[in-house]
Amino acid sequence: MEIASERIRAALDSNPTLTLLKAYSREWVLPLFAEHLEQVDGSVSAEWFHERISEAREQIPQRQGNVTPAEYCRDWVEKRWLETETPNGRLRYRLSPYSLRALRFVRELVDGETTVSGARLGSISHAMRLLADMTNPNRDVQVRRINRQIAELRKRRDDIAAGRVRLATLEEMKQQLREILAMTRSLPADFRQLRTMVEDRHQEVARRAMAQGPPKADLVEEYLRENDLLSKTSQGTAYLGFSRLLSSAQTEQLRADIDQILGQGFAREHMTTTQREELDGMLSTLLAAELDVQNSYLRWSASLRRFLTRAAHGRHQRLLTLADRALHAGATWTHAEPGQRHVPQDVLGVGPLAVIDVSQTQLWRDQGSQEVVVEVTERRGTLPTEDRVALRLAAGTSPRAVGRTINKLLAVRPVVTGAEIFDATPQAFQRLGTLVSLLDLAVVHGHIDADLVERVRLSGDRATALMATLPHVVFDAPVPTKELP
């Protein structure tokens, strides 16, 4: 009991789920997470999420401060409320399993869900029956149990066929649906918890390998097997069992049952759109989460294998070992015989340094600025056709080209509109780039009326015409084209 109490006290101060639930900012952070991250399958870009944070902060002006959205996110990552990933070098955020558990706890309170139900009791009874069969080595007992179940199923079949069994009520069907959805809602957090555990444990194994020294090449696989997370932990064992179930024939039966439920009138009349979508995507969500964990495990295992077999790591470890031995020997020597001593030989094996006067020692010398010679080889060949076409298109849609068209039209009329300028542009350059250049020039040299719009047709080899809408633009003075790019 004392150990359990200490663990509870420690969790109140260190567990990220509990720190989120008792944080001063929970009144706006939890709704922010629930609205923008909880239902996201994967991660969101940092730029997009920073905008959502700014919008959320604007709704609580009494707590406005100088903290930027990026600083909020860094703090939440440190508190393990958020996780980060950088695919293609772009920072992205996703909810941590701890935040998912906090949101699930709050939703259970809000929705008033209870664990006392016939559906929950049926799940417990089925699990208890499986455990009884697992723990009983007597096969005859298991055979007799199965025979009784067969007899019960035959009797139930006959009763249903004879009409002696009542149909389920609407409330019973709703209760069963709530039970299924409640059990499946917890699975994403469990999968994400397992993925986080895989990453944390691999980093722990890598640090331990660094401290102990890397195993020899022929022992690497054995070392990895001894630290296999998917066979040495309870979470990993449970994951493997779940993964095998997803890969079995029961998946097809589960898919068929879902289709049957969604095809009935109960789904159309008494299930919300969200419930139907959640039930329809249940299997794909589970498979995606299972694949995510597997990919994370394989990625980290490969990284750990490379780390253990890297030759540079061996040299680094040897240097650390030699330095540690030298420091230990020096400490022992000075403790036994205090005073200045001279080391007669090269202990670390890095070579001697002949020093007569330490003031004359120069370990680094600034050589000054270095001369860099760049040689350019002239090529007589012509540009490829696609490059010439791209350069011609860029020149024809540039602000300078559009400015020349504007000045040409203003020479014969006092005012010219954006649609007239676009129509006067050669057809090959009636592209989106011309519209962008036109709007840029209108901001500085023209007039824009956002209440009126004009539609123009973009050129190009398309099956159907592509129309573009732009605000009403007017030019009444020439554009200084020499100042334009």
Side-chain angles (χ1 to χ4, degrees):
M1 291 295 296
E2 183 178 355
I3 296 177
S5 301
E6 290 296 332
R7 293 180 62 184
I8 291 175
R9 276 192 289 269
L12 290 174
D13 295 329
S14 61
N15 186 275
T17 298
L18 298 177
T19 57
L20 174 57
L21 290 174
K22 68 179 183 180
Y24 289 111
S25 59
R26 63 183 181 274
E27 63 186 33
W28 70 275
V29 172
L30 280 171
L32 174 73
F33 288 174
E35 182 179 1
H36 300 297
L37 294 180
E38 185 181 14
Q39 304 301 328
V40 173
D41 185 13
S43 57
V44 299
S45 66
E47 297 82 4
W48 180 86
F49 189 55
H50 291 168
E51 293 178 0
R52 306 289 81 77
I53 295 175
S54 299
E55 295 171 358
R57 291 292 293 167
E58 291 175 357
Q59 300 177 5
I60 45 174
Q62 70 275 14
R63 290 195 176 183
Q64 287 288 355
N66 297 325
V67 183
T68 65
E71 291 173 340
Y72 275 120
C73 290
R74 282 196 295 270
D75 179 58
W76 296 340
V77 170
E78 292 177 359
K79 293 177 178 177
R80 306 191 72 179
W81 299 349
L82 290 181
E83 294 179 349
T84 60
E85 57 183 4
T86 53
N88 301 322
R90 301 294 299 274
L91 179 64
R92 299 180 68 86
Y93 297 115
R94 63 172 182 250
L95 278 184
S96 72
Y98 305 104
S99 297
L100 285 173
R101 291 186 184 279
L103 290 173
R104 188 177 67 186
F105 174 76
V106 174
R107 288 192 182 278
E108 289 176 355
L109 294 178
V110 173
D111 298 338
E113 295 182 356
T114 176
T115 58
V116 181
S117 65
R120 183 65 58 90
L121 181 60
S123 301
I124 296 174
S125 176
H126 176 70
M128 195 70 69
R129 185 182 303 116
L130 291 178
L131 180 59
D133 291 340
M134 292 177 182
T135 57
N136 193 340
N138 191 336
R139 298 178 183 271
D140 294 336
V141 175
Q142 297 185 25
V143 170
R144 287 196 297 271
R145 183 194 292 271
I146 294 175
N147 289 335
R148 287 197 301 269
Q149 292 175 357
I150 293 174
E152 293 173 358
L153 288 174
R154 286 175 176 171
K155 183 178 183 305
R156 178 173 173 77
R157 180 194 61 187
D158 296 338
D159 291 341
I160 293 175
R164 292 191 293 269
V165 178
R166 70 173 179 85
L167 298 177
T169 64
L170 179 61
E171 184 57 36
E172 289 174 342
M173 288 186 281
K174 290 183 177 180
Q175 178 62 41
Q176 188 72 13
L177 174 64
R178 287 194 295 266
E179 180 68 21
I180 292 173
L181 296 180
M183 288 188 293
T184 55
R185 287 192 190 106
S186 64
L187 289 175
D190 295 335
F191 275 111
R192 201 166 295 184
Q193 178 74 31
L194 179 60
R195 183 180 60 189
T196 302
M197 184 205 69
V198 168
E199 297 174 356
D200 292 344
R201 287 289 299 273
H202 271 97
Q203 293 176 357
E204 179 185 345
V205 171
R207 287 192 295 268
R208 189 165 63 249
M210 173 71 77
Q212 298 175 355
K216 295 181 180 179
D218 54 347
L219 299 179
V220 169
E221 294 301 326
E222 181 181 351
Y223 187 88
L224 290 173
R225 283 196 301 271
E226 292 177 355
N227 294 278
D228 190 353
L229 303 180
L230 295 186
S231 63
K232 299 298 183 181
T233 62
S234 59
Q235 298 94 329
T237 303
Y239 162 76
L240 289 177
F242 194 91
S243 179
R244 284 192 294 268
L245 183 62
L246 282 178
S247 303
S248 65
Q250 294 191 30
T251 302
E252 298 298 329
Q253 182 61 48
L254 180 61
R255 179 72 263 176
D257 292 339
I258 292 174
D259 293 339
Q260 180 179 337
I261 294 171
L262 295 177
Q264 301 299 320
F266 169 76
R268 295 188 297 270
E269 300 171 4
H270 302 287
M271 290 176 61
T272 64
T273 303
T274 302
Q275 289 176 333
R276 289 194 297 269
E277 292 176 352
E278 191 173 352
L279 193 64
D280 187 37
M282 177 192 302
L283 192 57
S284 59
T285 300
L286 295 179
L287 290 172
E290 187 265 344
L291 181 62
D292 192 20
V293 174
Q294 188 66 24
N295 289 338
S296 177
Y297 177 76
L298 293 176
R299 182 174 63 253
W300 280 89
S301 295
S303 176
L304 183 59
R305 183 177 286 103
R306 289 193 302 268
F307 171 78
L308 294 174
T309 55
R310 194 165 57 224
H313 169 70
R315 294 193 295 270
H316 177 66
Q317 181 62 35
R318 178 175 178 273
L319 180 59
L320 291 178
T321 302
L322 289 174
D324 184 69
R325 289 172 58 189
L327 292 174
H328 178 72
T332 304
W333 189 6
T334 55
H335 179 73
E337 300 181 20
Q340 295 184 353
R341 291 293 182 271
H342 171 68
V343 180
Q345 57 184 352
D346 183 13
V347 178
L348 297 179
V350 296
L353 178 63
V355 178
I356 300 176
D357 186 354
V358 71
S359 64
Q360 299 175 356
T361 304
Q362 188 173 14
L363 302 179
W364 177 77
R365 177 178 300 172
D366 186 4
Q367 302 295 335
S369 59
Q370 304 295 314
E371 292 184 0
V372 179
V373 179
V374 180
E375 295 183 358
V376 180
T377 303
E378 183 179 359
R379 297 185 60 181
R380 295 290 183 179
T382 59
L383 285 174
T385 303
E386 57 271 16
D387 291 345
R388 294 199 304 272
V389 172
L391 289 174
R392 181 173 178 270
L393 183 61
T397 59
S398 65
R400 177 173 292 183
V402 176
R404 286 197 294 266
T405 303
I406 295 173
N407 296 340
K408 180 180 178 181
L409 294 176
L410 288 176
V412 296
R413 66 185 74 172
V415 176
V416 61
T417 65
E420 294 172 341
I421 298 168
F422 193 81
D423 291 338
T425 302
Q427 185 177 4
F429 303 127
Q430 292 179 354
R431 303 295 184 92
L432 186 60
T434 299
L435 292 180
V436 174
S437 299
L438 180 62
L439 292 175
D440 287 341
L441 293 176
V443 170
V444 181
H445 305 287
H447 307 281
I448 301 178
D449 187 356
D451 296 331
L452 301 176
V453 296
E454 297 176 306
R455 291 173 59 84
V456 296
R457 178 173 179 174
L458 301 180
S459 64
D461 186 11
R462 301 182 181 89
T464 58
L466 183 60
M467 307 298 294
T469 303
L470 70 156
H472 184 64
V473 176
V474 174
F475 290 89
D476 54 7
V479 175
T481 56
K482 293 183 178 180
E483 301 176 1
L484 300 175

